[in-house]
Amino acid sequence: MRGSLFIHTTANPYSLITPVTRIIRDLSADQPIERAATLEDARAEVLTPHRLNSVVFGVFAAVALSIAVVGVAGVLAFSVSARTREFGIRLALGSQPQRLFKDVITEGAAMAAAGIIAGAVFGFVLARVAHSYFTDVSMPGVFPAAASAFALLTVAVVASMLPAARAASVDVIQALRTE
């Protein structure tokens, strides 16, 4: 017969292991005592794999977010440098620098939105395929998916600001002279 004994104490619980073990042995000499642990120990044992998974997934998410920031900023920086002449002409024709700034940020947000939609579709299909092989695989809830999409979109907009500022500050004369 397997059982558990819980003792509530305000003293150090480890100091009670020896006396409690002695009392149990006095009551029933053949009663096995497998292991003595506090509830904190039991909780830590149960939660440790989840914590490790959270840390690992958090690190991977941070790396993925960093790659997304560098990717969006790099593509937009390349686009802005390739379109310097266009921006110079637009400014010479009376376009406001704020308008160019907004256009470049909108371009970055559109790229991020396309990536989010493609990732959501691919993730949904992959989760369905994985579920057919592993029954424990489940789809995330709406809130985590929406929060992730919002975070990615926000980071993409922030990453777009430096190339957008560069586009808005193009020197008209210099841009028209370049080929």
Side-chain angles (χ1 to χ4, degrees):
M1 180 164 138
R2 181 173 164 84
S4 297
L5 173 66
F6 294 96
I7 299 173
H8 180 74
T9 181
T10 57
N12 179 7
Y14 295 107
S15 67
L16 297 176
I17 291 175
T18 304
V20 170
T21 303
R22 191 176 312 119
I23 292 169
I24 292 172
R25 294 269 188 243
D26 289 343
L27 292 172
S28 176
D30 61 338
Q31 180 67 38
I33 300 174
E34 295 177 5
R35 146 182 117 93
T38 65
L39 285 177
E40 285 297 318
D41 294 339
R43 185 181 315 143
E45 184 178 308
V46 169
L47 294 179
T48 298
H50 297 295
R51 287 184 183 146
L52 178 63
N53 285 343
S54 296
V55 169
V56 169
F57 286 128
V59 168
F60 281 133
V63 168
L65 197 58
S66 301
I67 291 170
V69 166
V70 170
V72 168
V75 167
L76 283 178
F78 179 75
S79 173
V80 165
S81 70
R83 295 167 53 194
T84 301
R85 185 171 173 86
E86 172 197 337
F87 293 139
I89 292 170
R90 287 174 64 180
L91 287 171
L93 292 175
S95 181
Q96 295 297 315
Q98 295 86 1
R99 178 69 186 169
L100 294 178
F101 185 82
K102 288 178 186 175
D103 287 348
V104 173
I105 287 181
T106 302
E107 184 179 338
M111 281 190 332
I116 289 168
I117 291 169
V121 169
F122 181 72
F124 179 76
V125 170
L126 187 63
R128 287 293 211 190
V129 170
H131 183 69
S132 67
Y133 292 106
F134 309 105
T135 57
D136 291 343
V137 174
S138 63
M139 295 292 291
V142 174
F143 179 73
S148 298
F150 179 75
L152 283 170
L153 195 58
T154 302
V155 166
V157 167
V158 170
S160 302
M161 286 186 178
L162 185 63
R166 207 170 112 213
S169 65
V170 166
D171 181 26
V172 175
I173 302 298
Q174 190 69 17
L176 294 175
R177 286 185 184 162
T178 60
E179 200 55 41

